[in-house]
Amino acid sequence: MSDFITVMRETCPTPVVNATKWTRIGGDPHTVNLNAYLSADGSKIMGTWICTPGKFEVNYDKWEFCHFLEGYCIITPEGEEPKHLKAGDVFVIEPGMKGTWEVVETVRKYFVFA
């Protein structure tokens, strides 16, 4: 395998349960991360995130790319209107975004933090 290309079907992610650093502020959400890629310097991570219904307070210090495969959530940046996101949506969250992330229906998404 090349050092320049990582094919995700060749990875064997280990499930990490409830590893989110976000503060739970509503409901009883539980998460599972299937981390498929971590850069050598630890600055980039890619995988699948699954979360049951509940609400978190969030404070992003990294850029995140998301592709929702299942579910529905509402992300509300401080001082802005809520963003309603559902299966099929692709979006980016910029560093510095503070607010809330509410999972209404269990979410499964691909993510990349960089």
Side-chain angles (χ1 to χ4, degrees), residues 49-105:
W49 184 74
I50 302 163
C51 184
T52 61
K55 192 171 186 177
F56 298 93
E57 181 178 83
V58 297
N59 184 355
Y60 275 75
D61 57 0
K62 289 188 157 204
W63 176 92
E64 183 183 17
F65 164 89
C66 300
H67 178 193
F68 268 33
L69 304 171
E70 296 175 2
Y72 167 60
C73 81
I74 303 166
I75 300 175
T76 307
E78 286 181 348
E80 294 185 23
E81 292 295 313
K83 307 289 187 215
H84 295 261
L85 301 158
K86 61 186 183 336
D89 286 343
V90 176
F91 57 98
V92 170
I93 299 175
E94 296 291 339
M97 195 285 283
K98 295 179 183 179
T100 61
W101 181 304
E102 180 179 5
V103 175
V104 179
E105 297 172 3

Side-chain angles (χ1 to χ4, degrees), residues 10-29:
E10 296 171 359
T11 65
C12 297
T14 301
V16 181
V17 178
N18 294 324
T20 184
K21 64 181 182 178
W22 298 343
T23 303
R24 289 176 176 88
I25 59 172
D28 188 27

Side-chain angles (χ1 to χ4, degrees), residues 35-46:
N35 299 332
Y37 172 81
L38 180 65
S39 63
D41 67 359
S43 67
K44 297 171 191 71
I45 187 169
M46 179 270 172

Side-chain angles (χ1 to χ4, degrees), residues 2-15:
S2 168
D3 291 337
F4 296 105
I5 298 173
T6 300
V7 179
M8 295 304 140
R9 72 174 172 268
E10 296 171 359
T11 65
C12 297
T14 301

